[in-house]
């Protein structure tokens, strides 16, 4: 193993399934591999990747995911938190009222405040590990790579799933989830000169269950998943090694954090040989990487 190898880590979006990224990071740390020289993230990958770039260990991220990150705690007022028939009726009324008059069901202000606390209001330029994330500007329709400024605001922009959260407004830009145009932006690492890139794609398109299509938010999220699955990937977005941990959990299953982290860790373990070759030096490893590293699903 080359402990000074220059490599980049790219983490996809996927809602709660992004917790699987933490499991992969746990495995890499346990095996003693060097930290990446660059981290690129989209949506939930921007949150996990940004916090890792901040200096959080995989163990600390697991603690946050399992014990703190209940998405319902960071939504406006009582939306999504009321129980019982009357509660559901009131919740529906709140959602319809806001959706009819505002850009999203939730403002995203509380989740932004939480991210600012977690990141200690750090800027991207000040991070121990260089970091980038992507978003989409609804005004121009173009992908935006965020490389400076508030880390928390960059994360909030990248995870602003349309209809769920208000866009993040930065000057003339109205920024939403980067996964709409590129859910695994490997090209960002390539453009910054990285040739050895490990990507983790938790956004595999799986068959949905009818029981997971019972509410408006579930249908909207699934419809966008379908659209994203049809985006064609070019050569610039092909990583040296791409891991594909999979689980039938929905992107809204934040309560299953511990299970999803273990899925990511188990997938890394199943592909330990490919990861070993990714970090190795010598002609054999070089030619193996050139030919393409095989993974086990």
């Amino acid at each position: 193993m080359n402990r000074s190898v220059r490599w980049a880590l790219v983490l996809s979006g996927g809602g709660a399934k992004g917790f699987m990224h933490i499991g992969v990071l746990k495995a890499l740390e346990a095996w003693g591999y060097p930290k990446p020289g660059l981290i690129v993230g989209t949506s939930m990958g921007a949150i996990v990747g940004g916090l890792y770039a901040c200096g959080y260990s995989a163990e600390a991220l697991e603690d946050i995911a399992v014990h703190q990150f209940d998405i319902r705690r960071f939504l406006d007022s009582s939306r999504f938190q009321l129980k019982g028939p009357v509660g559901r009726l009131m919740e529906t009324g709140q959602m319809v009222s806001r959706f009819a008059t505002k850009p999203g069901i939730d403002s995203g202000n509380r989740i932004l405040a939480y991210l600012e606390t977690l990141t200690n209001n750090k800027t991207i330029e000040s991070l121990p590990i260089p970091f980038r994330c992507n978003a989409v500007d609804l005004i121009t329709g173009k992908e935006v790579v965020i490389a400076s400024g508030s880390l928390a605001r960059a994360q909030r922009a990248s995870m602003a799933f349309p209809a769920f959260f208000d866009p993040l407004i930065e000057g003339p830009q109205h920024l939403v989830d980067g996964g709409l145009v590129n859910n695994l932006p490997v090209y960002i690492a390539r453009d910054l000169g990285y040739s050895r890139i490990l990507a983790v794609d938790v956004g595999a398109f799986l068959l949905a269950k009818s029981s997971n299509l019972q509410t408006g938010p579930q249908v909207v999220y699934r419809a966008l998943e379908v659209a994203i699955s049809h985006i064609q990937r070019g050569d610039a977005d092909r990583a040296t090694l791409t891991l594909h941990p999979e689980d039938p959990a929905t992107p809204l299953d934040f309560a299953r954090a511990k299970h999803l982290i273990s899925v990511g860790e188990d997938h890394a373990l199943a592909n330990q040989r490919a990861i070993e070759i990714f970090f190795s030096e010598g002609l054999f490893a070089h030619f193996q990487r050139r030919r393409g590293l095989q993974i086990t699903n």
Side-chain angles (χ1 to χ4, degrees):
M1 187 205 323
N2 181 354
R3 295 191 179 276
S4 62
V5 64
R6 185 174 184 266
W7 67 287
L9 175 67
V10 181
L11 304 178
S12 78
K17 293 189 285 187
F19 288 142
M20 291 190 277
H21 293 316
I22 300 174
V24 174
L25 290 172
K26 283 183 66 179
L28 294 179
E29 285 188 356
W31 294 330
Y33 289 119
K35 293 286 180 68
L38 170 73
I39 298 175
V40 178
T42 296
S43 197
M44 194 62 177
I47 293 178
V48 173
L51 293 178
Y52 199 67
C54 240
Y56 283 89
S57 66
E59 183 180 4
L61 290 177
E62 180 176 31
D63 183 70
I64 291 170
V66 174
H67 301 295
Q68 296 183 39
F69 202 87
D70 181 349
I71 192 69
R72 293 171 300 178
R73 292 174 51 203
F74 309 110
L75 300 177
D76 292 343
S77 65
S78 59
R79 200 169 296 116
F80 301 125
Q81 300 179 51
L82 303 174
K83 297 180 180 180
V86 176
R88 286 195 294 272
L89 181 62
M90 292 176 63
E91 176 184 294
T92 301
Q94 286 180 342
M95 289 171 59
V96 171
S97 175
R98 193 178 202 283
F99 197 59
T101 59
K102 300 290 183 180
I105 294 172
D106 194 88
S107 71
N109 292 336
R110 293 183 68 185
I111 188 69
L112 174 59
Y114 178 57
L115 290 171
E116 287 173 338
T117 298
L118 286 177
T119 61
N120 198 25
N121 289 304
K122 289 183 178 178
T123 62
I124 292 174
E125 301 94 315
S126 70
L127 299 179
I129 300 176
F131 173 76
R132 301 287 186 275
C133 66
N134 68 339
V136 176
D137 179 15
L138 290 179
I139 301 298
T140 63
K142 295 181 179 180
E143 182 180 7
V144 175
V145 178
I146 306 176
S148 62
S150 162
L151 172 60
R153 291 184 68 82
Q155 293 170 310
R156 162 69 178 83
S158 189
M159 55 79 69
F161 206 79
F164 285 79
F165 293 106
D166 290 358
L168 183 81
I169 298 176
E170 294 280 25
Q173 296 178 322
H174 287 56
L175 301 176
V176 296
D177 198 312
L180 294 179
V181 296
N182 195 332
N183 202 38
L184 193 70
V186 171
Y187 82 91
I188 295 175
R190 292 210 180 279
D191 286 353
L192 290 172
Y194 284 83
S195 58
R196 197 177 310 203
I197 303 168
L198 172 61
V200 185
D201 186 1
V202 302
F205 186 77
L206 305 175
L207 292 178
K209 296 179 180 179
S210 59
S211 59
N212 291 331
L213 298 172
Q214 303 301 309
T215 68
Q218 288 175 329
V219 171
V220 170
Y221 207 125
R222 180 60 176 178
L224 288 171
E225 276 189 320
V226 172
I228 290 169
S229 73
H230 288 277
I231 296 175
Q232 299 296 314
R233 304 187 64 77
D235 289 340
D237 272 323
R238 300 190 193 283
T240 311
L241 172 63
T242 302
L243 301 178
H244 296 275
E246 295 181 3
D247 190 86
T250 75
L252 302 175
D253 279 340
F254 289 96
R256 302 186 67 199
K258 194 169 187 64
H259 165 74
L260 291 168
I261 292 169
S262 69
V263 171
E265 194 170 6
D266 289 344
H267 184 75
L269 183 61
N271 291 282
Q272 187 172 3
R273 178 57 180 157
I275 294 171
E276 186 178 289
I277 294 171
F278 174 85
F279 284 102
S280 296
E281 291 301 310
L283 282 177
F284 174 76
H286 172 75
F287 284 119
Q288 285 286 95
R289 289 193 294 272
R290 289 287 297 273
R291 289 169 53 191
L293 298 175
Q294 300 299 311
I295 67 162
T296 301
N297 289 324

